[in-house]
């Protein structure tokens, strides 16, 4: 067991996981509370299309993924404005668009299918130093943004109209949330996989909503839950040779169920 | 609005305001002025454009013609948003939202002038004063969703009052509140109107309630909306803070 923990690939995995464990729930909190949970999934599918194109063109796949995620995020915002009362419609359109593009690029470049699987299901042990740098930079950007705008973000999330009446730059902040979410999703997909990345954004938040009274408490709880699942999940997966991304997500769900049961037990 | 002498400054003025959604005209050529220390009740049925009017007044919507002025400044150039307090409809927020009463009240201070700034000790004391004035200081660390409708209403009023605004805008503040709580809430508003340097605009569908207080003679109209106005000349309370017990 010590062999695994001291190995370089495991340490890289741990660092990458811990960083995403902060940014995932941090962005997820603002999405879940505004009923935008599905944005994570949507952007992940769009990112995969970018990754596939990256392989096809022979450029750094994650960079192409980020570009696609950002374009997808802007497209979601535009569609949401066009269909104000059907916000989820834009998500459905962009998600299927992402999957369609991804499968198109897959079939164009049959030979790289194995590599793309790394991004679909996550491949935390193959994180190279470039991947880790991308995750690190994204984490830094998100944390700096949140340190500066935390109170404004609370206001925007709790009551967007009141935020506008207070003269806050609501449109600018909304755009920032979308862009940062796109960055976090694309940086996270090699760690937990595109199919599972939204779990890291939403499940820790779902758990924290059951126990936290205030907003700050909820944010801290969700990050702690995610970090616990990342560390415990990586160790478990390392020892029993399981898929790390899946183990982390299943642990998150286990924590959520346990919290639900305990809360019910206390209440009834 | 000629019935009221113009000893006071204009707080809100609508000049030839028109507005429509996708070709459907909601308002046409609306002219109305709200003066300092007016209490304006805006009454209309559902769909008459109450919320649209409020959104025009606070700049969330732009009129398709005419001009909206706040404190004499055209709304596009208006920057002093801390002079305005806003109380939303009670049911406009998610009851499971993880926010304490204190967090909600303090958020009233999160405005343009405090961007890039942390709340000072004075700011925090001011929010505690607002809690005390609304008699909800015991609830400060409770989750907002756990409170009763009347208590939530006071939280939102405290949030709006935290900047000591000169104009208070209320959107259907009595929806989903029992009669007794409504009465207490109006007594509170009445005191604020009579004894503080504040102007009010309140949207409601409750004609009886507004008539019993502001009279039954509308002073102006805006499409299917009626404006009822009461002006106050009473002496203002001298204490600058709210803690002298507005509920007493």
């Amino acid at each position: 067991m010590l062999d695994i923990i001291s190995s370089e690939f495991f340490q890289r995995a741990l660092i990458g996981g811990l960083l995403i464990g902060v940014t995932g729930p941090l962005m997820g909190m603002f999405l879940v509370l505004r009923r935008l949970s599905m944005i994570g999934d949507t952007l992940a599918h769009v990112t995969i299309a970018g990754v596939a194109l990256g392989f096809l063109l022979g450029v750094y796949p994650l960079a192409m993924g980020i570009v696609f995620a950002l374009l997808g995020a802007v497209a979601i915002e535009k569609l949401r404005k066009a269909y104000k009362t059907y916000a989820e419609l834009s998500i459905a359109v962009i998600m299927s668009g992402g999957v369609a593009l991804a499968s198109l690029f897959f079939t164009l470049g049959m030979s790289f299918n194995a590599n793309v699987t790394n991004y679909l299901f996550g491949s935390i042990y193959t994180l190279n130093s470039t991947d880790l740098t991308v995750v690190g930079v994204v984490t830094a950007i998100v944390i700096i943004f949140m340190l500066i705008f935390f109170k404004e973000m609370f206001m925007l999330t709790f009551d967007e109209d009141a935020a506008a009446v207070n003269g806050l730059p609501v449109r600018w902040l909304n755009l920032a949330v979308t862009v940062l979410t796109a960055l976090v999703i694309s940086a996270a997909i090699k760690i937990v996989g595109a199919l599972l990345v939204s779990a890291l954004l939403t499940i820790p938040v779902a758990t924290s909503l059951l126990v936290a009274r205030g907003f700050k408490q909820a944010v801290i709880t969700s990050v702690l839950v995610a970090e616990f699942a990342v560390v415990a999940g990586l160790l478990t997966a390392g020892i029993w040779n399981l898929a790390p991304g899946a183990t982390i997500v299943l642990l998150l769900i286990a924590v959520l169920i346990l919290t639900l049961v305990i809360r019910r037990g206390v209440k009834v | 609005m000629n019935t009221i002498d113009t000893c006071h400054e204009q707080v809100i003025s609508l000049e030839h305001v028109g507005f429509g959604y996708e070709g459907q005209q909601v308002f046409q050529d609306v002219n109305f002025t709200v003066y300092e220390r007016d209490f304006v009740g805006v009454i209309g049925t559902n769909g008459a454009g109450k919320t649209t009017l409020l959104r025009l007044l606070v700049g969330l919507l732009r009129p398709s013609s005419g001009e909206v002025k706040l404190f004499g400044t055209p709304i596009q150039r208006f920057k002093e948003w801390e002079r305005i307090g806003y109380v939303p409809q009670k049911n406009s927020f998610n009851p499971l939202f993880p926010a304490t009463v204190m967090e909600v009240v303090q958020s009233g201070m999160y405005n343009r002038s405090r961007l890039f700034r942390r709340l000072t000790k004075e700011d925090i004391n001011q929010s505690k004063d607002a809690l005390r004035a609304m008699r909800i200081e015991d609830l400060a660390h409770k989750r907002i969703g756990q409170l009763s409708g009347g208590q939530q209403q006071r939280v939102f009023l405290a949030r709006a009052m935290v900047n000591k605004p000169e104009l208070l805008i209320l959107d259907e503040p009595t929806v989903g509140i029992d009669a007794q709580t409504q009465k207490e809430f109006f007594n509170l508003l009445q005191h604020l109107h009579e004894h503080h340097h504040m102007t009010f605009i309140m949207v409601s569908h409750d004609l009886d309630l507004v008539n019993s207080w502001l009279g039954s003679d509308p002073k102006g109209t805006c499409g299917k909306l009626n404006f009822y106005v009461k002006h106050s000349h009473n002496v203002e309370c001298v204490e600058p803070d709210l803690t002298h017990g507005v509920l007493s």
Side-chain angles (χ1 to χ4, degrees):
Chain A
M1 180 179 165
L2 273 176
D3 287 352
I4 296 178
I5 294 173
S6 56
S7 65
E8 203 184 323
F9 74 89
F10 188 87
Q11 286 177 354
R12 268 209 286 261
L14 194 62
I15 295 171
L18 287 172
L19 291 175
I20 282 303
V22 176
T23 51
L26 202 53
M27 292 315 299
M29 181 64 72
F30 297 101
L31 299 178
V32 169
L33 289 174
R34 306 181 74 190
R35 314 264 158 106
L36 297 171
S37 303
M38 290 302 290
I39 276 193
D41 243 339
T42 310
L43 290 178
H45 286 82
V46 175
T47 307
I48 282 299
V51 166
L53 184 64
F55 276 116
L56 202 60
L57 301 179
V59 298
Y60 179 53
L62 209 50
M64 204 47 119
I66 289 177
V67 171
F68 267 59
L70 288 172
L71 290 175
V74 173
I76 291 174
E77 280 296 299
K78 289 262 179 246
L79 273 177
R80 264 177 61 196
K81 288 213 177 83
Y83 294 98
K84 259 182 203 140
T85 41
Y86 304 103
E88 69 278 10
L89 194 57
S90 64
I91 285 171
V93 172
I94 303 293
M95 169 131 45
S96 44
V99 174
L101 267 182
S103 59
L104 194 73
F105 294 143
F106 284 164
T107 45
L108 282 176
M110 290 301 238
S111 58
F112 59 69
N113 277 1
N115 279 327
V116 173
T117 316
N118 285 346
Y119 290 86
L120 272 178
F121 294 102
S123 174
I124 195 168
Y125 293 149
T126 63
L127 284 183
N128 58 37
S129 49
T130 318
D131 298 334
L132 212 53
T133 312
V134 170
V135 176
V137 170
V138 167
T139 307
I141 293 173
V142 169
I143 289 179
I144 290 169
F145 177 85
M146 286 303 169
L147 284 176
I148 299 175
F149 294 110
F150 190 79
K151 61 189 199 310
E152 285 77 19
M153 287 298 300
F154 167 77
M155 186 68 175
L156 180 79
T157 314
F158 182 70
D159 189 342
E160 184 166 341
D161 283 355
V165 173
N166 278 8
L168 295 181
V170 167
R171 264 170 52 195
W172 191 89
L173 287 171
N174 273 327
L175 184 69
V177 173
T178 322
V179 168
L180 291 178
T181 306
L183 288 178
V184 169
I185 296 287
S186 39
I189 66 163
K190 204 169 175 188
I191 294 176
V192 278
L195 299 176
L196 294 175
V197 68
S198 74
L200 207 55
L201 270 73
T202 54
I203 303 174
V205 174
T207 309
S208 77
L209 291 183
L210 292 173
V211 294
R213 256 185 304 177
F215 190 67
K216 248 183 210 154
Q217 227 179 61
V219 169
I220 293 169
T221 310
S222 65
V223 170
L224 288 179
V225 167
E227 296 294 27
F228 163 76
V230 164
V231 175
L234 279 177
L235 286 175
T236 319
I239 295 165
W240 283 297
N241 198 19
L242 306 167
T247 311
I248 292 171
V249 172
L250 288 174
L251 263 176
L252 283 173
I253 293 177
V255 173
L256 175 66
I257 292 174
L258 202 68
T259 314
L260 274 168
V261 169
I262 290 174
R263 253 187 63 104
R264 184 154 296 182
V266 168
K267 260 196 171 171
V268 173
Chain B
M1 288 296 304
N2 313 323
T3 46
I4 287 167
D5 63 77
T6 47
C7 62
H8 286 114
E9 261 182 62
Q10 297 185 358
V11 175
I12 299 173
S13 66
L14 301 171
E15 291 164 16
H16 308 290
V17 169
F19 183 80
Y21 284 111
E22 280 142 25
Q24 235 191 357
Q25 202 70 18
V26 183
F27 302 127
Q28 235 169 344
D29 197 33
V30 176
N31 292 287
F32 193 74
T33 308
V34 177
Y35 293 93
E36 256 180 351
R37 297 198 72 190
D38 275 354
F39 196 114
V40 179
V42 180
I43 296 288
T45 50
N46 287 334
K50 289 178 300 219
T51 305
T52 304
L53 178 73
L54 280 196
R55 295 177 81 87
L56 282 167
L57 291 183
V58 294
L60 292 173
L61 292 172
R62 292 248 165 101
S64 44
S65 59
E67 191 165 52
V68 178
K69 283 185 186 166
L70 291 172
F71 298 98
T73 310
I75 197 156
Q76 314 79 281
R77 281 190 277 128
F78 185 75
K79 292 275 183 291
E80 305 160 296
W81 293 104
E82 63 279 358
R83 295 173 78 178
I84 298 177
Y86 171 72
V87 182
Q89 286 193 19
K90 182 189 86 68
N91 50 10
S92 69
F93 82 101
N94 163 11
L96 287 178
F97 198 102
T100 63
V101 168
M102 191 61 170
E103 283 176 326
V104 173
V105 171
Q106 278 180 358
S107 75
M109 295 185 160
Y110 302 164
N111 51 33
R112 194 176 278 263
S113 61
R114 285 189 182 82
L115 270 175
F116 308 109
R117 249 178 245 177
R118 299 179 64 146
L119 291 187
T120 62
K121 209 163 201 166
E122 202 180 317
D123 291 337
I124 289 167
N125 284 335
Q126 209 169 315
S127 51
K128 284 182 182 158
D129 285 350
L131 285 171
R132 259 196 301 279
M134 298 300 143
R135 296 213 173 141
I136 47 175
E137 67 266 40
D138 299 343
L139 307 173
H141 301 293
K142 281 237 153 94
R143 194 169 172 158
I144 175 101
Q146 295 173 324
L147 273 50
S148 72
Q151 289 169 330
Q152 285 174 3
Q153 201 177 38
R154 283 195 203 173
V155 173
F156 285 110
L157 191 57
R159 182 184 74 175
M161 296 293 292
V162 79
N163 291 315
K164 294 165 188 153
E166 291 160 67
L167 170 65
L168 195 60
I169 297 175
L170 303 114
D171 188 1
E172 296 272 13
T174 55
V175 167
I177 308 280
D178 64 85
Q180 177 59 31
T181 315
Q182 265 186 40
K183 201 166 159 267
E184 281 173 25
F185 187 69
F186 274 107
N187 289 340
L188 175 59
L189 290 183
Q190 210 159 359
H191 171 92
L192 289 172
H193 177 229
E194 282 169 2
H195 300 292
H196 290 258
H197 186 82
M198 284 177 72
T199 307
F200 297 78
I201 184 158
M202 182 184 80
V203 153
S204 176
H205 65 277
D206 193 340
L207 186 62
D208 295 340
L209 193 84
V210 170
N211 281 355
S212 70
W213 188 23
L214 303 175
S216 50
D217 179 25
K219 300 275 164 41
T221 57
C222 166
K224 286 179 224 156
L225 298 176
N226 287 319
F227 297 109
Y228 295 84
V229 183
K230 188 173 183 174
H231 191 71
S232 172
H233 276 295
N234 289 352
V235 186
E236 292 166 18
C237 290
V238 273
E239 288 100 318
D241 67 323
L242 289 165
T243 47
H244 63 285
V246 283
L247 289 175
S248 55

